[in-house]
Amino acid sequence: MPKEEQGLSLDGQGKPLWLSLELTYRCPLKCSWCNNPLNFDDYTSQELSTQEWMRVLREARDLGALQLGFTGGEPLMRDDLEELVAYADSIGFYTNLITSGVGLNEERLVALKAAGLKQIQLSVQSTRAEMTDALVGARAHALKMDAARRIKAHGFPMVLNMPVFKQNIDLIGEMCEWAADLGIEYIEFANIQYYNWALLNRDELLPSLEQIRQAEATVNEWRAKLGKRMTLYFVVPDYFEDRPKACMNGWGAIHLTIAPDGVAMPCQESRVIPGLEFESVRERSLAWLWHESPLFRKYRGLDWLPEPCQSCSEKEKDFGGCRCQAFLLTGDAGNTDPACSRSPFRHRITEAVKEVVRPLRFKKPLVKRSASAVSTTFMEE
Ligand code: FES
């Protein structure tokens, strides 16, 4: 079988090395940058059972998956999280919990430790209670701070994830100071990606170039100050770069996501692309879904790439960028990602960036994540 068909990957073996289980789309928070589908509530009654998730885990290990992220929604909303972690650990996964921290009380943390959980990624939006609570639409700041202290006290390796956007980007220095005091060793400043809820709120969330440059300088100052005590991860968002990101390391290359209802996807966003056939682990084996399904084969490898990607010397670095962003901004997932300056649709990004003004002026309130369906089409005029 040609390499591309095995699943072009960095290791060349075609294995879904990174498995993300979206255990649920339920969540106590209402973040305006949530990457869950706008109609997330349609899937709530269809969540896989404990036994079904265990079968997914087994089949994924058989396929060679090693790294496992339990995510959501808020995975702590599932009462069987500890059971699933214990099972995953027993069959050899390196388990990560990706959480808002809401619900991560002492009892659950102890149980997760006993179950073999290896690492926790905690999202924190700011060091200021009022701001965090306003951003996430709930009184969550104190719970997040408590969760951070507890995670450290229990000795878990921890990644602090700060989703970054216009409202909080100027607080990156404060976050470094707070995290250093707590002894956190790794912060990921995750400039948000504009899909789903974030795209709906893009005009209000997108930072200015000036803010990005300032944030980068702040991160570099803290890197110099903290040395090896802390690793700070900050990548300039693709809206401000000339080349697209190598999204998911290529479609169907090493990432496999299972949605709450069992649909297998190459990335967490791919449901936004119409016309693709989304199939579930309820009907198909994971091996078939990964190796054979039309969905995973559609944009796998390099043969399908359009121009200008096909003749570009950088195609093996970025694989033409992100399929979901290509669809959302151009109407066709098979186009070059407009984050690339060679894309004929690049103006759709440059115009969005040009609109950003500083000091902050908000044209409209943020749309909070909620179950009331928001119908919108993302393609720009
Ligand atoms: Fe789906 Fe990039 S988020 S391919």
Side-chain angles (χ1 to χ4, degrees), residues 37-81:
L38 297 181
N39 63 337
F40 66 90
D41 203 35
D42 293 353
Y43 305 101
T44 300
S45 61
Q46 301 167 40
E47 284 179 18
L48 296 188
S49 67
T50 310
Q51 291 308 316
E52 285 173 315
W53 280 122
M54 285 181 174
R55 179 169 64 78
V56 170
L57 286 166
R58 233 172 15 246
E59 291 186 26
R61 269 302 283 136
D62 290 345
L63 281 174
L66 286 170
Q67 290 278 346
L68 168 62
F70 288 105
T71 183
E74 172 51 67
L76 287 159
M77 299 292 285
R78 290 275 307 214
D79 294 340
D80 56 358
L81 177 63

Side-chain angles (χ1 to χ4, degrees), residues 83-323:
E83 202 178 334
L84 293 172
V85 168
Y87 182 69
D89 183 65
S90 75
I91 59 174
F93 275 109
Y94 184 88
T95 50
N96 298 263
L97 174 64
I98 297 154
T99 177
S100 68
V102 176
L104 194 55
N105 57 28
E106 187 64 19
E107 196 186 335
R108 293 207 79 177
L109 207 47
V110 168
L112 286 164
K113 184 95 187 177
L117 183 66
K118 295 292 186 293
Q119 179 171 284
I120 299 181
Q121 179 180 310
L122 175 72
S123 64
V124 176
Q125 288 70 28
S126 84
T127 49
R128 303 178 184 183
E130 219 174 285
M131 178 181 264
T132 305
D133 293 351
L135 286 171
V136 304
R139 293 179 81 85
H141 186 78
L143 300 172
K144 285 170 175 280
M145 299 288 108
D146 275 357
R149 284 183 210 102
R150 281 206 186 97
I151 293 167
K152 284 305 295 173
H154 282 276
F156 278 104
M158 170 180 172
V159 173
L160 187 77
N161 177 282
M162 179 179 175
V164 172
F165 37 82
K166 181 159 50 179
Q167 288 79 352
N168 68 356
I169 192 168
D170 298 328
L171 303 181
I172 278 181
E174 277 186 29
M175 186 61 80
C176 291
E177 190 172 357
W178 173 78
D181 284 349
L182 205 63
I184 289 170
E185 281 140 15
Y186 192 105
I187 308 184
E188 181 175 350
F189 294 108
N191 280 292
I192 59 166
Q193 304 286 322
Y194 293 92
Y195 315 109
N196 295 337
W197 296 90
L199 187 55
L200 202 57
N201 288 297
R202 187 179 65 180
D203 286 352
E204 312 309 316
L205 292 170
L206 193 63
S208 65
L209 179 60
E210 186 193 350
Q211 282 184 298
I212 297 280
R213 294 290 171 235
Q214 181 56 52
E216 207 178 11
T218 303
V219 169
N220 285 334
E221 279 165 28
W222 278 94
R223 280 181 181 140
K225 204 185 296 187
L226 295 169
K228 291 194 173 137
R229 274 173 59 201
M230 199 192 286
T231 302
L232 301 177
Y233 183 83
F234 179 92
V235 176
V236 174
D238 56 2
Y239 272 47
F240 298 89
E241 293 282 23
D242 279 347
R243 290 287 168 268
K245 59 185 179 289
C247 197
M248 313 314 290
N249 291 303
W251 181 272
I254 57 171
H255 285 267
L256 170 59
T257 294
I258 311 295
D261 57 336
V263 160
M265 304 183 292
C267 70
Q268 286 180 265
E269 323 299 337
S270 46
R271 264 185 161 147
V272 297
I273 304 173
L276 298 180
E277 213 178 319
F278 293 99
E279 298 184 82
S280 167
V281 295
R282 282 188 166 125
E283 282 95 42
R284 298 284 198 172
S285 74
L286 209 52
W288 185 88
L289 289 161
W290 175 255
H291 288 297
E292 308 295 339
S293 68
L295 175 67
F296 278 80
R297 292 166 71 106
K298 177 92 179 162
Y299 301 115
R300 184 174 265 163
L302 300 172
D303 292 347
W304 66 274
L305 281 173
E307 288 297 346
C309 303
Q310 195 52 258
S311 46
C312 178
S313 61
E314 296 179 54
K315 67 182 175 188
E316 288 181 24
K317 272 195 236 157
D318 60 38
F319 317 105
C322 173
R323 294 308 89 227

